[in-house]
Amino acid sequence: MSTITLTTQGGLRKAQVRAVNERVLLNLIRQTPGISRSDIVRITGFSSSSVTFIVSRMIRDGLLCEADVQAPPQVGRRPVALRLRPEAMTAIGVEVARPEARIIVAGLHGEPLRRRVVPWQADPKLFLGRVRDAIRALAGRISGKRLLGVGVSLPGTIDRTTGKVIAAENLGWFDLEAGRMLSEGVPANFYFENNAKLGALAERWFCQPGSKPLENFVFVMARGGLGTGVIIEGKLLHGASGEASEFGHTILYPDGRRCVCGNSGCWEEYASDRALERLYAERRGIANGVEKPDADEIVRLGRNGDELALAVLRET
């Protein structure tokens, strides 16, 4: 685990260093519930006095609770186990997607506390307006100091600062001010990110307690198209303009299938839920206009031994 020492190297002010070290300790306690102060000192390299000072303040602020470690009798003081108080702070997570948007209030462990679902609407203004109303309703039940913010997962290429959807071809959204529509009238900080990149971040963040998070990997999301997120040395790869690792529209076959983005032969046209559904319908001979099984149904058919479903799953 990387740590940050209590020096002022790099021009960090004392308050900034303190805030960074508090985050390091909070994350370590989140990953290792029941950890003791002495274990924190051993893992981070922080001094005992620094750890005691930071932990005491976080207990006073209601972020942590403590209890005696259940261990065999030993000489000296019994270690005290530290755990997050999950209800101390909450965040709202929003997934904007088809066939529905999901809005969830989560505690410090990421466990859902309350949720709402907004069915998909073809009109983006109507759809996003209803999502905003759900955010408002949930945010209104949380005191201002306890709400960390609202994190929004958006499809396609986006402006992370404003939440503007530059291009989400599968939804037909272009230059859509989604962030402005979602945050209007909501007194909270908003954070916007591409959905596949957030999938990669979640894969790293929510590892098993006590396990070492993955540092370098590629996350592939094959629902609603094909999206990818890349983690390098523990950090999301964004690139100069935030569009790095957008591999779904990499051209595999220049003379291949026409893609919704306007190119031909994109990876997404051969390895996504949409590609699976189309391939199954073609092989089954299902005519246009007839309802086709979706990806989940094709997976279910494959698990039940349907040879065609298994064949198209392997090919996809």
Side-chain angles (χ1 to χ4, degrees), residues 181-194:
M181 297 180 196
L182 291 171
S183 61
E184 185 178 4
V186 183
N189 293 321
F190 274 71
Y191 306 89
F192 304 99
E193 185 56 273
N194 165 268

Side-chain angles (χ1 to χ4, degrees), residues 93-121:
V94 182
E95 181 186 33
V96 176
R98 282 193 301 196
E100 61 190 22
R102 295 186 296 168
I103 305 93
I104 292 177
V105 177
L108 285 178
H109 287 304
E111 75 288 352
L113 303 174
R114 291 183 294 279
R115 67 179 70 207
R116 292 204 175 185
V117 172
V118 176
W120 170 258
Q121 297 285 335

